[in-house]
Amino acid sequence: MPFTCSTHTYPEPFYLLLEFVSGGSLQSRLRTSRTQQTYGNLHGGSKSLSSRDLTKFAWDVAKGMSFLSSKKILHRDLATRNVLVSADRTCKVSDFGLSREGDEYERTTKTRLPVRWMAPESLFHRKYTTKSDVWAFGVLLWEIVTLGATPYPGMSKREVMDGVQQGYRMDKPIHCDGKLYTLMLNCWDADPARRPEFRQIERTMDTLMEDEQDYINLASLDENTYTSLQTVTDEKY
């Protein structure tokens, strides 16, 4: 069927033009920034990323999600694997395969789910709002701090679900500043209403970017703690 736009009719085939983002996924960028040999060898910190780079990655994602939430778009699969990095190290939220439009969405079909990034109300009641994306942003921030480690290291997906239901939250990485960890905990509040809005998160990240402080001390990243690096397939339920 031909496609009609305004006064012109265009025959098949149709083409969708997308921006080429040369840096690949943020997850890959974080993991390949680790030091040589194996992913477990983190001595000396990142070879190519600074604390400010990592803080800016989170800032970029916060700005992108603030825009999406203002348009009432629920991403539902926010994670570093679904963020792309451009040549100038700007992060761009991508992969809208699970996205929905509106204030709230209730899942009715069975599908593979990103359990480690899901809020309690999504895991156990199938409900999604922008506050569910806020929870996922907190997990994404933890991923950034740990250079792409898989969330809830050492735990199975069932253990993650049971832990989240019982109030378990990931501990503060030793090399992470308290301000970043407080933001994570705020995103992981059991009550969606008490989680910050993305515009608040964006303002928080604005303030952190204005400071000259290093919020992630890569030199003290423990090489034995964050070695869990699962594939995209393994990360989903």
Side-chain angles (χ1 to χ4, degrees):
M1 179 182 294
F3 170 67
T4 301
C5 177
S6 185
T7 59
H8 296 85
T9 299
Y10 301 90
E12 295 181 342
F14 308 130
Y15 298 93
L16 180 63
L17 300 181
L18 300 174
E19 176 186 4
F20 174 63
V21 186
S22 61
S25 75
L26 177 56
Q27 182 189 72
S28 175
R29 187 72 182 84
L30 293 168
R31 291 180 176 183
T32 57
S33 76
R34 294 178 174 210
T35 49
Q36 298 181 44
Q37 307 303 322
T38 66
Y39 284 133
N41 179 12
L42 307 180
H43 180 67
S46 166
K47 289 180 60 181
S48 57
L49 293 177
S50 68
S51 170
R52 190 162 182 81
D53 288 330
L54 299 178
T55 305
K56 183 181 180 297
F57 290 161
W59 185 43
D60 288 341
V61 176
K63 288 188 290 184
M65 291 305 300
S66 182
F67 175 79
L68 288 177
S69 64
S70 73
K71 301 299 182 183
K72 299 185 180 302
I73 296 175
L74 312 178
H75 190 283
R76 297 180 63 233
D77 198 10
L78 182 62
T80 57
R81 64 180 175 273
N82 292 330
V83 173
L84 298 177
V85 184
S86 67
D88 66 355
R89 293 187 175 180
T90 298
C91 285
K92 306 189 177 191
V93 179
S94 66
D95 197 337
F96 292 87
L98 294 181
S99 297
R100 296 293 185 273
E101 187 175 5
D103 293 316
E104 182 177 307
Y105 173 75
E106 183 172 350
R107 178 172 52 87
T108 57
T109 59
K110 290 186 177 181
T111 184
R112 294 178 65 85
L113 299 172
V115 169
R116 297 175 190 272
W117 288 261
M118 289 174 65
E121 67 273 12
S122 304
L123 279 171
F124 306 112
H125 304 291
R126 300 188 173 192
K127 293 187 181 300
Y128 298 82
T129 67
T130 188
K131 294 300 186 72
S132 309
D133 283 340
V134 166
W135 176 288
F137 178 85
V139 181
L140 176 143
L141 186 54
W142 185 93
E143 288 185 89
I144 290 175
V145 167
T146 60
L147 293 182
T150 298
Y152 303 94
M155 297 174 65
S156 69
K157 288 182 283 289
R158 173 50 59 184
E159 288 172 334
V160 171
M161 294 177 70
D162 292 342
V164 167
Q165 190 172 36
Q166 295 165 16
Y168 172 78
R169 302 294 183 263
M170 287 185 284
D171 293 333
K172 183 179 87 66
I174 295 174
H175 62 287
C176 172
D177 184 88
K179 290 181 181 179
L180 281 182
Y181 186 64
T182 296
L183 178 55
M184 292 182 207
L185 287 180
N186 289 340
C187 292
W188 298 335
D189 198 299
D191 182 354
R194 291 202 297 260
R195 295 174 205 156
E197 301 282 350
F198 273 115
R199 63 177 180 272
Q200 295 173 269
I201 296 174
E202 181 181 1
R203 285 197 295 267
T204 298
M205 296 307 304
D206 286 344
T207 301
L208 297 184
M209 286 299 296
E210 288 171 1
D211 295 340
E212 296 299 323
Q213 180 179 343
D214 285 344
Y215 292 96
I216 305 166
N217 184 1
L218 290 169
S220 64
L221 184 62
D222 187 347
E223 64 182 50
N224 298 312
T225 303
Y226 303 109
T227 57
S228 175
L229 301 172
Q230 298 180 12
T231 65
V232 172
T233 300
D234 290 337
E235 287 171 346
K236 294 191 176 183
Y237 191 50

